[in-house]
Amino acid sequence: MALIVKKFGGTSLATSSHITHLAKQIRKDVDNGDSIVVIVSAMSSTTDNLLTMASKICDNPETRELDMLLTTGERISMSLFSMALNSFNIKSCSFTGSQVGIITDDNHNNARIIEIRGNRLKDTIKNGIVPVIAGFQGISEKKEITTLGRGGSDTTAVAIAAFLEADECEIYTDVNSVLTADPRIVPNAKNIKEISYNEMLEMASLGSAVLHPRAVALAKKFNIKLRVKSSFNEGEGTMISDDSSMEGLIVRGISHKEDLTAISLKTKNDINTLLNEMYKNNIKIKFFINKDHDSITFIIDSDKINKALTALEKITESVKVNNDIAAISIIGIGLNNNLDINKKILEITDKYAKEIEAIFFNEFSLTIISGKSIMNKLITKFSETFDLG
Ligand code: ASP
Ligand code: MG
């Protein structure tokens, strides 16, 4: 008998018949003697629709109010899911994040889980009741409702799996597994059967949307067996675990991001002042490119550009904005130590040298910052060279 945390994403919960289908699957798990804990995200597009509703009321809603609004999405799916389980004669009860004691900091819209005070959850499981928990949300010490950032229900699932010392945490989605590359660019991208926490962390942080990066970091910290699976097909999906079980160095996959903007500026202020100004406004700096001494270039998500420019107005003399920016990342353990692979990468990038702004690498990834026009070409070439398609 295993204790398994199963998290269902929005596309898996798209309609009531999707929910009924999943409840039927859980009936089988329960019949096999497993204990199941369900984590749900909002039904597909619900969170986006709620954000659109807010934007029709005002440009800059209070982050507290936004959290109150966005957490309603998961309340819909959790209650429907619990009803569906009940209708298959499975005792079930739905819970909000605060009801299961997910305590976060008070950083609205991007809160971090501090601890789980989960006695109620443990008692529920002990009494043979399947808990259905709203992902993506918690409550701060000040008793305010918070959310964990877009895609944050994966992080709820891993945190709950760690708290319960579950045997496995399964993330159900609309693809069969983590893929070697984006199938819209590499149509024959392959399924990845196994990947290490470190590589998955790089993939997720550098653009692969299949998992919330913070969920992977948490799984690594608590050594949780994490699996990405399809809710529509049978199959093993992708197992994410530690490096030791992995085969030797291979290029595992390619991630990319194109919703990026570079800001170049001249300032008499030091770099700390600049960083502080960005962090105060919740703007993450993705990459720094310093080509010369008196100007600084950094890259942020494009949707943060207006906020960034307003913040920078006070402390800079001249600002240039370039939204023709893409980041293409090749992922694999020990990349920076393998000359052969690096040579192959350089042979490809050489042809596009003029359009490449910078190359960064670390132990697990190599990232090329370029104009958007060569992004697809680079991804296609890399996937041919490293047998990813
Ligand atoms: N519903 C939230 C979102 O759309 C959380 C999640 O899906 O993980 O971002
Ligand atoms: Mg997701």
Side-chain angles (χ1 to χ4, degrees), residues 326-342:
I328 302 106
S329 303
I330 302 167
I331 318 288
I333 300 173
L335 263 183
N336 60 348
N337 286 324
N338 190 300
L339 276 182
D340 193 40
I341 290 186
N342 281 306

Side-chain angles (χ1 to χ4, degrees), residues 67-296:
D67 278 348
M68 288 302 242
L69 178 69
L70 295 188
T71 48
T72 62
E74 274 71 11
R75 266 178 107 121
I76 298 173
S77 46
M78 74 182 202
S79 44
L80 292 176
F81 206 110
S82 214
M83 289 175 204
L85 289 174
N86 288 332
S87 75
F88 286 105
N89 288 325
I90 299 169
K91 278 197 223 151
S92 168
C93 190
S94 64
F95 297 99
T96 62
S98 71
Q99 285 176 312
V100 281
I102 297 180
I103 313 297
T104 72
D105 61 19
D106 49 18
N107 187 12
H108 283 290
N109 302 173
N110 201 20
R112 288 190 167 260
I113 299 174
I114 300 168
E115 63 169 310
I116 298 178
R117 295 181 194 150
N119 289 341
R120 186 171 180 191
L121 175 61
K122 281 190 172 158
D123 288 345
T124 305
I125 298 168
K126 225 181 276 161
N127 291 331
I129 296 168
V130 173
V132 179
I133 302 169
F136 174 57
Q137 54 178 266
I139 185 164
S140 72
E141 297 280 9
K142 293 179 193 152
K143 302 247 182 306
E144 297 291 359
I145 299 298
T146 53
T147 60
L148 309 180
R150 294 303 307 269
S153 52
D154 295 344
T155 300
T156 307
V158 176
I160 294 282
F163 172 74
L164 295 172
E165 297 177 27
D167 295 288
E168 194 164 304
C169 179
E170 299 175 345
I171 307 286
Y172 285 82
T173 179
D174 55 350
V175 289
N176 287 340
S177 66
V178 181
L179 294 171
T180 49
D182 185 336
R184 286 168 298 186
I185 301 171
V186 180
N188 53 351
K190 293 179 180 168
N191 293 326
I192 299 178
K193 287 203 179 86
E194 272 189 309
I195 187 168
S196 68
Y197 294 125
N198 287 320
E199 290 166 309
M200 193 61 233
L201 196 53
E202 295 288 302
M203 274 197 107
S205 314
L206 294 164
S208 160
V210 69
L211 277 175
H212 200 225
R214 277 166 49 196
V216 185
L218 209 57
K220 180 182 166 189
K221 183 168 170 191
F222 292 101
N223 210 8
I224 304 294
K225 279 194 200 158
L226 185 61
R227 196 185 282 282
V228 172
K229 282 178 122 173
S230 160
S231 2
F232 306 113
N233 299 311
E234 296 279 321
E236 289 299 294
T238 302
M239 182 58 156
I240 301 137
S241 56
D242 70 29
D243 301 354
S244 56
S245 59
M246 298 289 124
E247 53 191 299
L249 171 83
I250 58 161
V251 171
R252 197 80 56 189
I254 302 174
S255 284
H256 67 95
K257 267 182 186 284
E258 53 180 331
D259 46 355
L260 297 171
T261 295
I263 299 182
S264 302
L265 52 87
K266 287 195 183 357
T267 176
K268 293 203 177 77
N269 285 295
D270 55 41
I271 224 148
N272 275 7
T273 314
L274 183 89
L275 285 176
N276 269 332
E277 208 48 46
M278 293 293 102
Y279 295 152
K280 255 197 301 190
N281 286 284
N282 254 327
I283 299 166
K284 278 191 217 138
I285 293 184
K286 306 276 173 187
F287 303 100
F288 253 113
I289 309 173
N290 272 9
K291 279 191 184 156
D292 51 51
H293 288 302
D294 50 280
S295 85
I296 296 168

